[in-house]
Amino acid sequence: MEKPGNAPRVLVIHGPNLNMLGKREPEVYGTITLDDINKGLIRTAEKSGLSVESFQSNHEGVIVEKIQEAVDNYNGLIINPGALTHYSISIRDALLLLGDTPVIEIHLSNIYKREPFRHKSMVADVAVGQISGFGAFGYTLALEAMANIIT
Ligand code: DQA
């Protein structure tokens, strides 16, 4: 495993309402909290030789600014844009700023089994791939996929 200082850096962005995981529609999203997910990401990163940082915001512009900061500062980006997935052209445009830096889109729920307005993703074709429907385990899958791409 690489020394932490040299490990490729991955940023994980959680969008609106994901801070409420555990309380939010548990029948859809499960009972795991965002803190549990972030701790799991750190464990997976250690096993995969990555360094990971997590960030959550309920505000579209704040997320756009965080993606802009990621340009040239991270080796990969994993994003669950929450509801912004379905309509945010500004998140999509910000992701395009990342150029060759790989982006993985993740959703806890299977967005294609839900309401028709969730079937459209503004970011799917900007991402290397999408993970949708595996609950919190999807974050482990996403980080392992990212490790496979960048290490
Ligand atoms: C979600 C799916 C979105 O449709 C929803 O608005 C969310 C969470 C998911 O992780 O399943 O906030 O991105």
Side-chain angles (χ1 to χ4, degrees):
M1 195 194 292
E2 292 192 56
K3 281 188 244 141
N6 300 330
R9 299 180 72 203
V10 178
L11 178 64
V12 181
I13 296 180
H14 309 283
N17 297 308
L18 293 168
N19 56 315
M20 298 306 287
L21 288 176
K23 295 192 174 123
R24 178 188 180 197
E25 298 176 83
E27 64 289 358
V28 177
Y29 299 113
T31 52
I32 196 164
T33 66
L34 191 59
D35 194 44
D36 293 332
I37 289 175
N38 289 336
K39 285 180 180 148
L41 282 166
I42 290 169
R43 283 193 296 273
T44 305
E46 280 167 1
K47 283 189 213 148
S48 307
L50 299 172
S51 120
V52 70
E53 282 167 52
S54 299
F55 175 82
Q56 190 276 332
S57 176
N58 294 319
H59 303 280
E60 183 173 8
V62 173
I63 294 173
V64 166
E65 284 170 2
K66 192 70 186 177
I67 297 169
Q68 289 177 1
E69 277 172 33
V71 175
D72 298 331
N73 285 317
Y74 291 89
N75 303 98
L77 179 74
I78 295 171
I79 184 163
N80 182 347
L84 293 168
T85 306
H86 313 300
Y87 64 89
S88 176
I89 297 171
S90 61
I91 299 276
R92 176 196 172 81
D93 285 348
L95 292 173
L96 285 169
L97 292 170
L98 292 168
D100 292 338
T101 303
V103 174
I104 295 178
E105 176 185 357
I106 161 134
H107 302 283
L108 294 140
S109 62
N110 180 348
I111 57 174
Y112 303 101
K113 277 175 83 172
R114 301 184 62 194
E115 305 95 319
F117 65 84
R118 294 187 206 273
H119 297 180
K120 171 81 188 159
S121 166
M122 300 304 291
V123 304
D125 65 319
V126 173
V128 177
Q130 184 194 68
I131 293 168
S132 179
F134 297 99
F137 182 56
Y139 286 89
T140 305
L141 296 174
L143 199 54
E144 286 181 353
M146 186 61 83
N148 190 258
I149 297 166
I150 65 179
T151 59

